[in-house]
Amino acid sequence: MNEDLLKNEILKTLSFLDPMGLDRLFLDLDSKFVKAYPELTYDDLLKCLNILTKSKKAKLIEVDGHKQWIKVFPKKSLSKRTLNKILSFFFKE
């Protein structure tokens, strides 16, 4: 199984607002993707979720002893924020 494909599919499935448990995440994966990779296991999902958590693209939340994940909104870099401030200062609408 290609790890990058699985990471991208997990990121598509995760929500910014609603934390998802492992079972719900597995059920919400695209059915075409699951049919294309029938060897997909919970261990593969956990491994990719741990990688996404370490790279700060997902956040692990424990609710009543159950692990749940939520997608982290990507932050703009310092240079982009600075450029936006400068442009908004000169080009006010």
Side-chain angles (χ1 to χ4, degrees), residues 83-93:
L83 182 62
N84 285 340
K85 284 277 194 187
I86 292 170
L87 290 176
S88 67
F89 180 76
F90 288 110
F91 299 105
K92 293 181 182 177
E93 292 183 21

Side-chain angles (χ1 to χ4, degrees), residues 3 5 16 19-20 22 25 36 43 45-47 49 54 61 63 66 72 76 79 89 91 93:
E3 201 170 274
L5 283 173
F16 287 113
M20 300 176 83
L22 194 59
L25 180 66
D43 292 332
L45 284 176
L46 279 173
K47 182 180 173 186
L49 283 166
K54 287 178 184 175
I61 301 170
V63 178
H66 299 287
V72 176
K76 290 184 180 179
S79 59
F89 180 76
F91 299 105
E93 292 183 21

